[in-house]
Amino acid sequence: MLPYVAFLHSGDRSIVDENWSAMTAYLNGIMAQNPDGLWSKGRGADLGDWLALDAKVPGDETTPKALIGTAVLARSIDQVKRMAEWTGRTADASKWRARHAIVAHAFVRAFIKSDGYVGNGSHCSYILALGLDLVPQSLRKQAATLLAADIRRRGTLLSTGFLGTPMALDALAEVGEHKLVWDLLLRTAYSSWGYMVRHGATTIWERWNGDTGDVAMNSFNHYALGAVCGFLHRRVGAIEPTQPGFARFRIAPVLDKRNTSFAATLDSVRGRIQVAMNLDRGSPSIRLVVPANSVADVHLVDEVREVGPGAHTIPMPSHLFV
């Protein structure tokens, strides 16, 4: 993951070249033990969806560990496949594309039912499957509906821990659950990020209940639940690289009338990117500055508009904010 993210943001392929043999050896080792693509053997110190809300003790198997392992194996293979494509390793890209298909098919066979039910029905089960594009297209709507309904049933809260939470809001946004995303972002009752803020947090806790949890294992500044900040950059600030070094990036804000405006600036390796949105009902628009040698794909609900270098003002459909 680290070489992938570093290359995506920097455009410097040396981190891929330096780590290629280690990354591929790691994945070859997993596939050698699990040739059918289902990661059931050799998972090592497998903590699962650590500190999930339903766990009585931190490592309880609230989501099947083989499901989590197989899903993140698919992610790792997909990232290696993309790095191969981006660095001109054509034969390697073909090899890892084929292996990804093996793992994805194994995941579907083992964990997705014909009605879209995933795993044991945990939020993490659905989020990994949807967020990593492992649900067949014909079942995505059903799976998304089941996930959203259970989040609502539980009082509009997530039951996820360390592995489900970082992908939760992205997965919901990708299936069109924008209102639910903002309901979760703005929630202040337990358990939520807003609960932490209301109870004096200035950084994100390791535990959803960091104010009352076991002080022997209770960081008050932790990545896992704090990965929500990445979502704010990608889908609220709305700057997300899709090709190395921001050669191409996506502007796809998750829109809601409770967020009446935003502005974000990022100094990329190609120059400064600026995005700002104003939800004035008379003329809602996105203002965008694209640096030289870069292209932005601006998502406007029913269309994607390709925007080249320069300053632009792009009208937004006014009915979105009624």
Side-chain angles (χ1 to χ4, degrees):
M1 291 178 67
L2 289 176
Y4 174 81
V5 173
F7 182 37
L8 185 59
H9 283 258
S10 70
D12 181 357
R13 65 170 286 166
S14 65
I15 193 168
V16 175
D17 296 337
E18 290 166 4
N19 290 281
W20 185 258
S21 62
M23 292 187 295
T24 54
Y26 171 72
L27 292 176
N28 282 331
I30 296 171
M31 292 299 294
Q33 286 187 281
N34 303 274
D36 64 351
L38 190 69
W39 195 0
S40 58
K41 299 176 184 176
R43 291 199 304 270
D46 185 356
L47 303 180
D49 195 28
W50 183 255
L51 288 176
L53 196 64
D54 294 336
K56 293 183 173 60
V57 296
D60 280 352
E61 195 168 359
T62 54
T63 297
K65 291 184 178 181
L67 181 154
I68 294 172
T70 305
V72 297
L73 174 60
R75 175 175 61 185
S76 294
I77 291 174
D78 182 64
Q79 289 173 340
V80 166
K81 182 262 297 181
R82 290 171 187 262
M83 286 185 280
E85 292 171 343
W86 290 335
T87 58
R89 293 174 164 91
T90 305
D92 287 308
S94 178
K95 167 187 170 181
W96 292 108
R97 191 177 301 112
R99 286 191 169 183
H100 184 272
I102 292 170
V103 175
H105 292 155
F107 186 94
V108 172
R109 288 195 306 270
F111 303 116
I112 301 181
K113 294 184 171 60
S114 59
D115 62 354
Y117 187 89
V118 181
N120 65 346
S122 70
H123 293 174
C124 183
S125 294
Y126 285 103
I127 287 162
L128 292 178
L130 289 166
L132 296 174
D133 202 21
L134 295 170
V135 180
Q137 192 62 37
S138 61
L139 295 176
R140 278 184 69 82
K141 184 176 180 180
Q142 295 97 308
T145 298
L146 289 169
L147 171 61
D150 198 69
I151 292 172
R152 295 288 191 198
R153 178 188 66 81
R154 295 179 64 125
T156 312
L157 62 81
L158 291 167
S159 66
T160 47
F162 273 28
L163 298 184
T165 302
M167 298 182 61
L169 299 184
D170 289 280
L172 290 167
E174 287 300 319
V175 295
E177 289 286 349
H178 290 194
K179 182 179 185 301
L180 180 54
V181 166
W182 279 96
D183 289 344
L184 291 166
L185 276 173
L186 298 176
R187 177 182 168 83
T188 57
Y190 179 80
S191 60
S192 67
W193 297 285
Y195 173 89
M196 300 182 196
V197 174
R198 288 189 64 181
H199 287 76
T202 55
T203 51
I204 302 296
W205 302 337
E206 180 178 9
R207 294 172 173 265
W208 288 115
N209 63 333
D211 53 338
T212 61
D214 180 8
V215 295
M217 189 204 70
N218 195 12
S219 166
F220 289 99
N221 184 9
H222 205 285
Y223 159 77
L225 307 185
V228 65
C229 296
F231 177 81
L232 298 180
H233 288 288
R234 289 187 298 271
R235 302 305 301 271
V236 178
I239 302 174
E240 180 180 14
T242 55
Q243 291 183 8
F246 288 86
R248 201 171 196 103
F249 60 96
R250 180 170 82 150
I251 305 295
V254 177
L255 301 173
D256 188 279
K257 62 184 178 182
R258 290 167 288 182
N259 178 33
T260 57
S261 65
F262 73 79
T265 299
L266 187 148
D267 288 322
S268 79
V269 295
R270 293 172 189 267
R272 177 163 291 184
I273 298 170
Q274 292 179 292
V275 183
M277 183 174 71
N278 176 17
L279 301 191
D280 183 317
R281 291 192 180 193
S283 55
S285 62
I286 289 180
R287 298 190 307 280
L288 173 64
V289 176
V290 180
N293 300 310
S294 188
V295 174
D297 292 310
V298 182
H299 290 243
L300 301 171
V301 186
D302 295 325
E303 67 169 308
V304 178
R305 185 173 301 179
E306 184 179 283
V307 179
H312 310 269
T313 298
I314 302 169
M316 298 289 289
S318 59
H319 71 271
L320 294 173
F321 316 114
V322 175

